[in-house]
Amino acid sequence: MAVADNSRLVLINSSRERHETRHFCSNDIITSKKVRWRDIAVGDIVEVADGEEIPADLLLLAAEDQEGKCVVTTANLDGETNLKTFLCPDATRNLLKPESLWSIQARVQCQLPHANLYDYKGVLEVNYQEDKCTASLATQNLLLRGAKLRHTPRVYGVAVYTGKETKMALNSKLKSNKFSTVERSMNYFLIFFLFLLILEVALCTILKYELYSQEVTNEMWYIDLPTNATVTAGDVYQDSVSFLIIFSYIIPISLYVTLEMQKFLGTMFMSWDEDLRGAGEDEGARVNTSDLNEELGQVQYLFTDKTGTLTENIMHFRNCSADGAKYSDVAGKIQALDEQTNRTTPLPSLPVPLVTLLETLALCHTVQVSAYDRATAEQTTPSDTIELSELKHYQASSPDEKALVEACARYGVVFEGQNNGQLTVKVRGEMKFFTLLQVLEFDSDRKCMSVVIRNEADRKTWLLTKGAESSVLKRCLLSNPDQQRLHDVTLSHINDFAMLGLRTLAVARRELTDKQYEDFAAQLSQAKQVLEDREEAVRKVTDRMEADLTLLGATGVEDLLQDGVQETLESLRVAGIKVWVLTGDKVETAVNIAYSCGHFKRFMTILTLTGLHDKETADRKLQECREACHNDGSFGLVVDGQSLVLLLEHFEEEFYAVGRRCWSVVCCRMSPKQKAEIVHMAKTSREHPICAAIGDGANDVSMIQEAHVGLGIMGKEGRQAVRCSDFGFAKFRFLKKMLLVHGHWNYVRVSVFVQFSFYKNVAFNTPIVFYSIWNAFSTQSLYESLALTAFNITFTSLPVLVYGLFEQNIPPDILLTRPHLYQRNANNVAMSWLMFLQWNFFALWHAAAMFFGLWLTCWDDTCGLPGGATQDLYLFGLALGTLCTFVTNMKIVLEANFYNVVLFGALVITTVGYAVLYLLYSGIPVEPFIKYGIYAAYYRLFESPSLNLGCLVVGIACLLPDFVMKVFVRTLDPEVKLWARGKRTRKELREEILMKVSHINEAYDADDTSVSPDRKPEVL
């Protein structure tokens, strides 16, 4: 439900600058009603209830929460399933009634609409009961359309961006039609045959009137042409159209229909594949389009989401370091870890440095205790044995923070929650209270986050910081040997954690005097009021605050990868597919996961393009990366969304060149639109590679639809990605078989299907062109009408259709264990012009051999018919049509590598069906059939042994070069030799096992008979 106050007066003053001012003010009458999302206008105050989606980009004014906060999920926007906290401005947080909101006059000055999800800056000026106040606005004040409200009864917000101006809409992309590479090549081949058809028609028409002029035809008394007839334009037009009709069969008109049938039926095999089925009943492979089956075998770039796609998005605390000592989590308890023996020992009590570290982690975060759990705890009676800490259910915007706070609670340092700015922590049974003074959010430049708290027991003020070791360690004091030693030991521990694939954080703190904090707070408040370059102003203040820190230790958290992710990524790399990870996560998080899943290797040189704010810096950093890439070695690339804006706008080609040179690329803090832009950049580059994109959330839809092949994962974020994708399945590891096996097979099947369709029409139609030479270009067809109609639809359709469904040129186990075979089909090699010419060369050979072979067979005008009868056009055409049907169907049998009952059954059905059809068609003794020349022609065909023998010899001669070519190619193929050797090895092993089993059975039978002669022996 969204209730909008439509009586608001909305004035929008758009300027040509980067900002605009938006007003909302009051009237005397309050009206509210339910409206559609599209009817919400800028300035309307909207009420959103728990569980509802945000209908527009709303500036949060008030929330039914004691602390003026609300939590939402943003899976539709950035793919993150964790709850995120948003704050009400202090000026409006207590205005929880519509009457109170009605009585204010306010002005919001903010940015013009843009697509960056992580950037919102503005200023709120409020006049309420003669009080005036100004508040700075940031990203945590803006509820984005598509987010869903959680654990908050009700919120009120004013619409600042609506409709197409919302960030969700600006990140959306209209779905475009997708065409496979094979279809594009097929269209070029069709154009070629269209021009060839026009050439044949024009050439035959010209030759008719040039070679067979009136003088020549006057001497041909047997064709009964009128003498002294003049050639008119109508005659030329009629002959051209007639040639067009009889030659038009060179274009396979039925190709699209039969190809669509083959693709549609082929999708069922993917859906039925049990290896692609997840644990749930409805988690089988899903195919939303059959047009791109073969495109799965052409992928050169894979763009993948991280959260929920590569990972399970489940964090576990594993290790930590405090005051130079290592600790490890063992069955939910923290134990000391001996670095020499790598063994753990239980702790009788927690050391003070470890308690200090855990207490810092329990305070330095933005974690919230679920409102439901707090209510349940308040209703618990004192007599209950369940402690308050046992009821805690933490919600966090970052899974890392949640894992750390939960680990602290397990070890006895329990974060009890926050109430009106007061933090409560239970440390080994003792309640401690702290006042939260400031929260310095994480950003990709600082690579850390901090909180400022005041301990209510001793009134000391502390700055607590945690973040990437590259950022935190350089901010720590190194003024004495002990601090230097602690720095070196902690860094060594962090490297050890990283080698285990853990996500690492360094933790530090600093004590502030009251004067220092007051100065910092005033400077920070002033910096947040700036609209232009606010980030730079805030960063200068935070850099001064987060200095001279005292190092406390480090942590290592494991993000569980999905099963088979490392093996899948490695197989894709061997298959020649470059993988780019596009994620909305922080840089450090994404890089850690890249190492843990094997996307980044330890021997790689990692290049970074992060934190770029201006064109000059971006150009310089990009030039450094380009120079580094020219050296020998393996490279990985890390780029963030903020830098990507500059790179795509000014240096797109240079950036893509660096990305091509790198083995692995990770793009962080990406908005949905930027993900789509990266995919678009790659697929429209000079090489035009085939790109696939895979994701599991609504935020991945744009890149899924932008890619040539869209793949959806049935993850925890719903089914929107699967619904918008071309192919969907349950786990990332299924991608290996989907590409390497089904992609390979489908490409081979479809490419051969298409090439064969052109081949058979050339082989069938070219004899008509040859025959035109002998019939004085009279536009007489060589074949009877049934052959012309049924050749494509009936006579040659079933065997190639079965081939297109069941062909397995390489066994699946070989394709999975030897991923490099995927590159055999790279760059659409089977649909290249060279292969096209090869197929048509054989088609011309078959056409010439069939026509002239039968022509020579009938050279003496009798061809062995009884009574000295001569063959006529119908008999010759029927014999040629029968031979062409046999040869073309046997051609697809020669092309097959996987022979099965279905293929031979299709061949038998086609052959028998052809015979039965012509037995009936040419043998019905009723009018009008008996008047046609085709009557009894099929029966007469079997009266001539020489004609039948000639057909057999000519058919073998036609297919002999095809057979020799296939044997020659397979003999020179080293992979075929390996498969054959492996097959022989498996056969020998099987025979050896059977022999041993036989010996064991014989020994058992002999022993059993000696013990009990009357007992019937059992066979193992």
Side-chain angles (χ1 to χ4, degrees):
M1 179 184 69
V3 180
D5 199 336
N6 288 332
S7 64
R8 303 293 183 187
L9 175 63
V10 181
L11 301 175
I12 303 178
N13 298 327
S14 299
S15 65
R16 296 187 180 181
E17 301 177 358
R18 294 171 51 205
H19 304 90
E20 67 180 0
T21 303
R22 301 192 169 192
H23 302 266
F24 60 99
C25 55
S26 64
N27 289 333
D28 295 332
I29 301 175
I30 300 176
T31 61
S32 62
K33 62 179 181 180
K34 294 182 180 180
V35 298
R36 296 180 180 272
W37 287 17
R38 66 186 182 188
D39 296 329
I40 297 175
V42 174
D44 288 350
I45 294 181
V46 180
E47 174 192 317
V48 182
D50 186 16
E52 295 179 349
E53 285 195 12
I54 309 300
D57 289 352
L58 305 179
L59 172 60
L60 182 60
L61 297 177
E64 288 190 7
D65 182 86
Q66 295 179 356
E67 302 166 13
K69 299 178 180 179
C70 72
V71 289
V72 300
T73 55
T74 58
N76 289 341
L77 297 164
D78 57 14
E80 299 297 323
T81 56
N82 304 291
L83 294 183
K84 296 185 178 180
T85 303
F86 287 80
L87 309 176
C88 302
D90 292 338
T92 60
R93 60 178 294 184
N94 297 320
L95 305 178
L96 297 177
K97 296 182 179 181
E99 294 81 1
S100 301
L101 290 171
W102 196 257
S103 61
I104 67 171
Q105 291 185 343
R107 184 179 70 154
V108 177
Q109 185 178 2
C110 60
Q111 299 163 303
L112 288 169
H114 61 87
N116 192 344
L117 299 176
Y118 310 103
D119 180 29
Y120 176 72
K121 294 186 287 289
V123 176
L124 173 65
E125 299 177 3
V126 179
N127 295 330
Y128 179 62
Q129 295 180 351
E130 299 183 357
D131 292 334
K132 295 183 180 181
C133 60
T134 301
S136 61
L137 303 175
T139 306
Q140 63 266 27
N141 303 121
L142 186 67
L143 298 176
L144 299 181
R145 175 181 176 178
K148 183 173 289 188
L149 187 64
R150 296 290 190 185
H151 306 312
T152 308
R154 189 171 288 100
V155 298
Y156 295 94
V158 61
V160 291
Y161 305 126
T162 61
K164 296 181 179 180
E165 292 184 346
T166 61
K167 294 182 181 292
M168 184 179 187
L170 292 173
N171 278 281
S172 299
K173 178 185 179 296
L174 294 177
K175 186 175 182 179
S176 57
N177 293 328
K178 297 182 179 181
F179 298 95
S180 71
T181 308
V182 171
E183 285 183 332
R184 287 193 290 268
S185 299
M186 185 174 69
N187 291 336
Y188 291 133
F189 296 160
L190 284 172
I191 294 174
F192 170 83
F193 278 113
L194 180 60
F195 281 105
L196 179 62
L197 174 61
I198 296 173
L199 178 63
E200 287 180 345
V201 170
L203 185 61
C204 287
T205 304
I206 293 172
L207 289 176
K208 175 178 181 177
Y209 292 104
E210 285 294 326
L211 298 180
Y212 297 93
S213 61
Q214 187 66 47
E215 293 78 9
V216 176
T217 58
N218 287 337
E219 298 179 2
M220 297 178 176
W221 54 268
Y222 49 85
I223 59 176
D224 193 24
L225 290 176
T227 59
N228 300 322
T230 59
V231 179
T232 64
D235 295 334
V236 176
Y237 173 77
Q238 182 178 355
D239 289 335
S240 299
V241 173
S242 298
F243 279 124
L244 180 64
I245 292 173
I246 64 173
F247 293 163
S248 64
Y249 294 94
I250 197 172
I251 298 179
I253 300 176
S254 63
L255 172 59
Y256 283 98
V257 177
T258 53
L259 183 60
E260 285 301 316
M261 183 185 300
Q262 184 272 333
K263 288 184 177 183
F264 174 74
L265 296 176
T267 60
M268 297 181 180
F269 289 90
M270 287 187 279
S271 301
W272 294 336
D273 193 339
E274 291 297 322
D275 293 338
L276 301 181
R277 181 171 295 277
E281 294 183 359
D282 61 339
E283 292 190 354
R286 180 172 175 178
V287 182
N288 295 326
T289 176
S290 60
D291 292 334
L292 302 174
N293 295 353
E294 66 276 16
E295 204 76 343
L296 291 170
Q298 291 293 291
V299 175
Q300 296 168 279
Y301 278 79
L302 176 68
F303 298 91
T304 174
D305 179 40
K306 181 192 73 66
T307 307
T309 303
L310 300 179
T311 70
E312 297 284 2
N313 202 22
I314 300 175
M315 308 292 178
H316 289 289
F317 181 89
R318 294 303 184 197
N319 295 92
C320 70
S321 171
D323 196 29
K326 266 188 181 180
Y327 301 91
S328 180
D329 181 273
V330 180
K333 296 182 179 180
I334 193 165
Q335 297 184 4
L337 179 63
D338 191 329
E339 295 188 54
Q340 301 298 327
T341 62
N342 204 30
R343 294 181 177 179
T344 59
T345 55
L347 295 172
S349 61
L350 299 183
V352 174
L354 180 57
V355 172
T356 303
L357 175 68
L358 296 177
E359 186 177 316
T360 302
L361 293 174
L363 292 169
C364 184
H365 56 73
T366 57
V367 174
Q368 300 292 318
V369 178
S370 172
Y372 172 81
D373 292 331
R374 289 204 303 266
T376 305
E378 291 170 0
Q379 295 170 7
T380 305
T381 62
S383 60
D384 290 337
T385 58
I386 301 176
E387 295 183 0
L388 180 64
S389 61
E390 296 177 2
L391 296 172
K392 290 292 167 282
H393 180 67
Y394 297 115
Q395 299 290 348
S397 59
S398 168
D400 304 70
E401 288 191 335
K402 182 180 179 182
L404 292 172
V405 175
E406 288 177 339
C408 292
R410 289 198 303 271
Y411 307 146
V413 182
V414 184
F415 174 63
E416 297 288 347
Q418 178 180 351
N419 187 9
N420 291 328
Q422 187 177 67
L423 306 177
T424 305
V425 178
K426 183 190 292 184
V427 182
R428 292 183 292 184
E430 177 187 354
M431 287 292 187
K432 292 187 176 182
F433 301 96
F434 302 86
T435 300
L436 180 62
L437 302 177
Q438 294 284 349
V439 177
L440 307 180
E441 296 284 353
F442 178 92
D443 66 61
S444 58
D445 294 323
R446 289 166 43 243
K447 300 181 182 179
C448 64
M449 69 89 60
S450 301
V451 298
V452 181
I453 60 166
R454 178 179 291 117
N455 191 334
E456 295 300 325
D458 56 15
R459 304 298 296 174
K460 288 185 177 181
T461 302
W462 294 93
L463 172 76
L464 310 179
T465 301
K466 73 171 188 289
E469 67 276 6
S470 59
S471 175
V472 174
L473 292 182
K474 68 182 182 182
R475 301 172 187 266
C476 295
L477 289 170
L478 298 175
S479 57
N480 57 61
D482 291 338
Q483 291 175 341
Q484 183 64 52
R485 180 194 61 82
L486 178 60
H487 174 279
D488 296 341
V489 173
T490 303
L491 182 59
S492 174
H493 290 172
I494 290 174
N495 292 333
D496 294 340
F497 298 159
M499 290 296 291
L500 298 175
L502 304 182
R503 302 164 64 150
T504 58
L505 291 175
V507 185
R509 68 175 183 176
R510 173 189 179 184
E511 184 178 358
L512 300 175
T513 64
D514 292 341
K515 180 66 167 60
Q516 285 177 321
Y517 171 69
E518 290 172 0
D519 292 342
F520 285 141
Q523 296 170 10
L524 189 61
S525 177
Q526 184 178 0
K528 288 182 177 180
Q529 302 294 329
V530 178
L531 285 179
E532 294 287 347
D533 299 325
R534 177 186 292 184
E535 294 90 348
E536 184 64 27
V538 171
R539 190 180 303 111
K540 290 179 180 179
V541 179
T542 55
D543 285 343
R544 290 194 294 270
M545 295 179 68
E546 296 169 335
D548 299 331
L549 302 176
T550 300
L551 182 62
L552 298 178
T555 62
V557 176
E558 179 184 17
D559 186 0
L560 294 180
L561 294 173
Q562 289 191 16
D563 294 337
V565 168
Q566 291 179 320
E567 295 81 359
T568 302
L569 289 176
E570 193 60 35
S571 296
L572 296 180
R573 183 178 288 111
V574 175
I577 300 174
K578 291 188 176 182
V579 181
W580 289 34
V581 176
L582 312 181
T583 177
D585 270 356
K586 298 177 291 187
V587 174
E588 294 299 324
T589 301
V591 170
N592 286 335
I593 293 298
Y595 276 113
S596 63
C597 71
H599 185 55
F600 280 169
K601 305 292 185 181
R602 293 295 168 185
F603 58 80
M604 282 186 179
T605 302
I606 305 301
L607 309 176
T608 59
L609 291 171
T610 58
L612 306 179
H613 298 285
D614 56 79
K615 183 177 177 181
E616 292 72 19
T617 305
D619 188 17
R620 178 175 53 81
K621 288 286 293 183
L622 193 59
Q623 186 63 31
E624 293 175 0
C625 292
R626 293 179 64 184
E627 292 176 358
C629 287
H630 290 307
N631 301 324
D632 294 334
S634 303
F635 301 94
L637 178 64
V638 180
V639 61
D640 62 0
Q642 179 182 355
S643 304
L644 196 63
V645 174
L646 287 172
L647 295 173
L648 292 182
E649 183 178 356
H650 302 288
F651 311 103
E652 181 175 315
E653 292 187 5
E654 294 84 352
F655 168 66
Y656 178 68
V658 173
R660 284 186 59 237
R661 181 65 179 83
C662 296
W663 275 24
S664 306
V665 179
V666 174
C667 300
C668 318
R669 304 302 287 175
M670 300 282 287
S671 67
K673 184 178 180 181
Q674 286 180 316
K675 290 183 178 182
E677 288 174 346
I678 286 289
V679 177
H680 181 77
M681 174 194 71
K683 80 174 192 178
T684 57
S685 62
R686 192 174 304 171
E687 298 82 10
H688 296 287
I690 303 302
C691 300
I694 182 170
D696 69 320
N699 64 308
D700 302 315
V701 169
S702 294
M703 75 167 180
I704 287 174
Q705 294 180 342
E706 178 66 38
H708 294 104
V709 182
L711 306 166
I713 296 291
M714 301 173 188
K716 299 178 181 178
E717 302 174 16
R719 293 290 190 269
Q720 188 166 348
V722 175
R723 289 195 298 269
C724 297
S725 66
D726 304 308
F727 304 91
F729 35 86
K731 297 293 182 182
F732 182 81
R733 68 176 185 272
F734 296 158
L735 180 64
K736 180 179 179 180
K737 186 172 186 180
M738 183 66 82
L739 295 182
L740 302 187
V741 177
H742 288 288
H744 181 97
W745 285 348
N746 279 310
Y747 178 75
V748 172
R749 294 167 181 171
V750 173
S751 59
V752 172
F753 188 101
V754 173
Q755 295 279 26
F756 175 80
S757 297
F758 289 115
Y759 149 82
K760 68 179 182 179
N761 280 54
V762 172
F764 179 73
N765 191 80
T766 304
I768 301 178
V769 180
F770 294 155
Y771 180 64
S772 297
I773 301 174
W774 270 264
N775 65 20
F777 300 100
S778 62
T779 71
Q780 171 66 48
S781 175
L782 177 60
Y783 304 111
E784 198 272 334
S785 59
L786 179 63
L788 294 172
T789 304
F791 180 78
N792 279 313
I793 300 176
T794 306
F795 298 162
T796 58
S797 60
L798 188 57
V800 70
L801 179 61
V802 172
Y803 172 92
L805 294 176
F806 294 95
E807 171 63 4
Q808 298 179 13
N809 64 320
I810 302 176
D813 55 334
I814 299 294
L815 290 173
L816 291 174
T817 55
R818 303 177 69 80
H820 67 275
L821 295 175
Y822 185 83
Q823 300 182 52
R824 287 188 158 213
N825 298 327
N827 300 316
N828 199 24
V829 62
M831 292 293 289
S832 64
W833 285 101
L834 180 62
M835 290 300 298
F836 175 75
L837 294 176
Q838 177 180 318
W839 274 89
N840 284 278
F841 170 79
F842 281 109
L844 291 174
W845 156 249
H846 292 168
M850 289 186 295
F851 179 81
F852 292 106
L854 288 182
W855 182 65
L856 290 175
T857 304
C858 302
W859 180 262
D860 61 353
D861 291 336
T862 62
C863 67
L865 290 172
T870 61
Q871 75 281 359
D872 58 8
L873 174 63
Y874 291 99
L875 180 61
F876 184 83
L878 181 59
L880 184 59
T882 303
L883 178 59
C884 187
T885 300
F886 170 77
V887 169
T888 52
N889 283 331
M890 289 305 299
K891 170 67 174 177
I892 198 63
V893 173
L894 284 177
E895 288 296 323
N897 295 278
F898 181 67
Y899 298 104
N900 52 75
V901 176
V902 184
L903 180 61
F904 287 112
L907 193 62
V908 170
I909 291 173
T910 299
T911 304
V912 174
Y914 178 89
V916 170
L917 181 62
Y918 266 105
L919 284 173
L920 295 175
Y921 181 71
S922 65
I924 301 177
V926 296
E927 293 186 1
F929 294 98
I930 57 176
K931 295 183 179 180
Y932 294 155
I934 193 64
Y935 180 70
Y938 195 68
Y939 296 90
R940 293 168 55 207
L941 178 63
F942 293 99
E943 294 178 350
S944 173
S946 60
L947 188 58
N948 283 271
L949 180 61
C951 289
L952 179 62
V953 173
V954 170
I956 294 175
C958 286
L959 295 171
L960 186 60
D962 303 70
F963 178 76
V964 172
M965 179 76 172
K966 182 173 182 178
V967 172
F968 178 74
V969 170
R970 291 180 66 87
T971 303
L972 297 181
D973 191 343
E975 295 293 341
V976 174
K977 296 179 181 178
L978 290 175
W979 305 336
R981 188 181 303 120
K983 190 175 182 179
R984 287 196 300 270
T985 304
R986 289 193 297 270
K987 184 178 180 181
E988 294 171 359
L989 181 62
R990 190 184 306 112
E991 292 176 351
E992 183 180 352
I993 293 174
L994 291 176
M995 187 177 297
K996 290 183 179 179
V997 171
S998 177
H999 292 332
I1000 293 173
N1001 282 335
E1002 291 175 0
Y1004 177 80
D1005 291 343
D1007 182 67
D1008 189 45
T1009 304
S1010 63
V1011 174
S1012 177
D1014 298 331
R1015 182 180 173 187
K1016 186 178 180 180
E1018 297 179 359
V1019 180
L1020 290 179

